[in-house]
Amino acid sequence: MKTFESTLKTKRILKTATMQTVITTIAILFSAFMLQAQNTITVSMHNFDNDKGTVKVGLYDSEGNFLNKEFMTRGATISGEKAAVTFTDVPDGTYAISCYHDENDNDKLDMMMGIMPSEDYGCSNGAKGFFGPPKWKDAKFTIENGETKAIDIKL
């Protein structure tokens, strides 16, 4: 027959072992999350009309956000009618890129009569819009496993 003290001691040991198991499990899950391979995307753009202003580049992470809300953004100066930006620490997933030549540096894609871009633009995979903006399905690509992806966009 167990004494009251030995029962309490057994419960304490079990409680400590359970707590150590929980802490170890949390640590393993956190490590796995932190060790997920991060990817790099380099975007090279060319065929600008001139070197005025800057280029604005958006990385989009879903069809619902495409051309509305960027996941990441970068900007670059244009030299020799070319520019490049790099997105680092990009999680595995499906993305699309759009860019535009902000010639007057007003931080927006200027439109002619409110319907047609008056500044050059481009998207990943050479996606073009026909009677509207480019489509997510035409611009999307997948990146995973610590990949470095090079995207070339002709404006």
Side-chain angles (χ1 to χ4, degrees), residues 42-60:
T42 300
V43 183
S44 300
M45 297 148 289
H46 57 94
N47 208 38
F48 289 91
D49 288 337
N50 56 59
D51 291 350
K52 295 178 187 173
T54 56
V55 62
K56 308 293 185 185
V57 185
L59 177 65
Y60 301 88

Side-chain angles (χ1 to χ4, degrees), residues 29 36 46 54-55 57 68 89 122 137 145:
L29 290 173
Q36 178 184 3
H46 57 94
T54 56
V55 62
V57 185
N68 294 312
D89 299 323
K137 67 181 177 104
N145 301 323

